[in-house]
Amino acid sequence: GEGAAEQAAAEEAAAEEGAAEGGAGKLSFGLDDVCGESRAAGLYEGDEVSFREATDAATGAVGAADVRLEAQKVNRGFVLSLRDGHGLLRGEAGGAPLSFAASSLLGVRPRDEVEYRRASDAKTGRPAAAQLRRLPAGSLVLEWVSPRWWEAVVRIAPAAPRGRGGGARDGAAQSCG
């Protein structure tokens, strides 16, 4: 009935609301509080913004107004998989995979390196990737080699390489001196 419709409207309004956290604490804001150029650029999770604190005269609610984008947070990662028009990517720092619409970057393939902005999926509210841009291969460091040397005894010998090269660790093996 009416109660369910009001609750749905409140949930929709909450989903459209943003939040900024800084010296003034955590303040909510809506798209109408974001200034023109910043609105056109879009605001994503991790972006740095400036704003003025405002109090709604009718409700007394305190929020952010005149929100301006100061610095974009751009993340980097690589594509894990593609299926049915959606993809998954993992950020270079690890963490849970993020979904994205494969149509947002035509010709993308698994293992492609990308830049992206962190967003929330409009349907599920889960973290997602947006504003994808392909990076040149080799842009991301996908393997870290410790400068420290270790001594050990081999208990199980590795399998013999098939054909030329040993796979992803070829570069590390070639650096032995």
Side-chain angles (χ1 to χ4, degrees):
E2 287 182 38
E6 288 175 10
Q7 182 178 357
E11 288 174 0
E12 185 176 317
E16 292 175 358
E17 200 169 84
E21 193 167 359
K26 188 173 184 177
L27 299 175
S28 62
F29 63 92
L31 190 57
D32 59 333
D33 295 311
V34 180
C35 296
E37 288 181 17
S38 298
R39 186 180 308 161
L43 294 179
Y44 295 88
E45 291 180 23
D47 286 350
E48 294 180 22
V49 296
S50 61
F51 58 89
R52 296 186 312 155
E53 186 177 294
T55 303
D56 185 301
T59 66
V62 178
D66 298 333
V67 179
R68 290 178 164 76
L69 177 64
E70 300 295 338
Q72 292 181 344
K73 169 68 174 162
V74 178
N75 303 284
R76 296 171 9 145
F78 58 96
V79 176
L80 294 172
S81 63
L82 298 167
R83 183 176 177 177
D84 299 328
H86 292 86
L88 288 176
L89 68 79
R90 182 172 316 275
E92 68 181 330
L98 299 174
S99 65
F100 67 93
S103 61
S104 65
L105 187 61
L106 297 177
V108 67
R109 296 184 315 247
R111 298 191 57 81
D112 280 354
E113 299 171 28
V114 294
E115 277 186 344
Y116 63 94
R117 311 267 311 275
R118 193 174 167 99
S120 295
D121 184 281
K123 292 180 183 176
T124 66
R126 293 183 184 149
Q131 303 284 317
L132 274 75
R133 186 176 74 85
R134 187 177 290 113
L135 294 171
S139 296
L140 302 181
V141 176
L142 301 178
E143 179 178 66
W144 293 270
V145 178
S146 170
R148 184 172 177 191
W149 284 92
W150 297 83
E151 291 184 12
V153 174
V154 175
R155 298 285 184 213
I156 299 174
R162 296 181 189 131
R164 284 189 70 219
R169 299 187 186 271
D170 279 349
Q174 293 171 0
S175 67
C176 292

